[in-house]
Amino acid sequence: MAGKRQFRVNINHNFCKRCGICYWICPTKTITKGELGKPQVLDHTTCIGCSMCENSCPDFAIDIQEVEAVIENA
């Protein structure tokens, strides 16, 4: 049985200049504006893996990775 694909948003804050493009363009608002304009992710489960933030980031500070599903045998 296939479940919903899950993704993790990794933000390299050493590269990020806090331009705001990522939280402006995110369709699910997974990336939000944090303290002093710093992008933050409070809930990775809302990410749909569209990569719009990753492709739009002028600083190459965002990496979207698919999370492997953990299947537990009952």
Side-chain angles (χ1 to χ4, degrees):
M1 181 174 151
K4 179 182 174 233
R5 292 171 56 193
Q6 295 184 353
F7 300 90
R8 179 155 186 90
V9 181
N10 299 308
I11 301 172
N12 184 334
H13 291 289
N14 293 322
F15 292 169
C16 177
K17 292 185 193 128
R18 302 176 185 180
C19 68
I21 292 172
C22 56
Y23 48 80
W24 178 80
I25 204 165
C26 181
T28 60
K29 300 302 179 204
T30 298
I31 303 175
T32 58
K33 183 177 183 176
E35 187 176 338
L36 300 174
K38 181 177 174 181
Q40 64 183 4
V41 178
L42 300 176
D43 183 6
H44 290 273
T45 62
T46 59
C47 178
I48 58 174
C50 69
S51 297
M52 289 175 64
C53 59
E54 183 178 12
N55 294 332
S56 299
C57 180
D59 303 315
F60 303 101
I62 300 176
D63 180 44
I64 305 295
Q65 294 180 336
E66 186 168 2
V67 178
E68 292 293 323
V70 177
I71 300 172
E72 295 180 15
N73 293 329

